[in-house]
Amino acid sequence: MEFLVQSGRIYQVDEKGKTVAEVTFPEEIPGVLNLNHTFVDESLRGQGVAGKLMQAVVDYAKAQGKQISPTCSYAVKWFEKHGEYQSLLNKSKL
């Protein structure tokens, strides 16, 4: 599965150009990405796409030397289950 990356956004489009998976993470304070939205189209649900989006954000943050502040409910739960990424979390509230 290949994702497209833009500033503050990682996403996937279908053959018609429709966004079918997306995670957004604006840098609201310097060095901290606010992971604020996760979307997966019904056609892709149950295939682990949301988890792959989370992994893509983690990899992006590491590469950019950024921390993550998850505010999207899915992202909050994902980080709770993946303790190995706690060092990436920003402890202050956005």
Side-chain angles (χ1 to χ4, degrees):
M1 176 169 292
E2 191 169 323
F3 295 116
L4 302 169
V5 180
Q6 290 181 334
S7 178
R9 178 181 183 222
I10 296 176
Y11 65 105
Q12 183 178 40
V13 295
D14 66 11
E15 63 280 347
K16 296 178 184 176
K18 175 186 170 192
T19 299
V20 292
E22 173 184 56
V23 62
T24 58
F25 46 90
E27 187 171 351
E28 294 185 354
I29 57 176
V32 181
L33 306 175
N34 177 9
L35 206 168
N36 63 1
H37 173 72
T38 305
F39 163 76
V40 177
D41 188 78
E42 288 182 20
S43 66
L44 296 176
R45 292 203 181 142
Q47 299 177 40
V49 175
K52 291 175 185 171
L53 283 168
M54 291 295 109
Q55 187 63 55
V57 173
V58 163
D59 294 343
Y60 177 87
K62 282 182 181 178
Q64 300 295 316
K66 310 281 185 189
Q67 289 189 307
I68 297 172
S69 182
T71 57
C72 157
S73 61
Y74 178 83
V76 168
K77 289 178 181 147
W78 190 88
F79 277 98
E80 286 173 358
K81 291 180 182 177
H82 293 84
E84 66 271 28
Y85 299 118
Q86 295 300 303
S87 64
L88 285 175
L89 294 179
N90 180 274
K91 303 304 180 200
S92 64
K93 297 288 182 191
L94 289 178

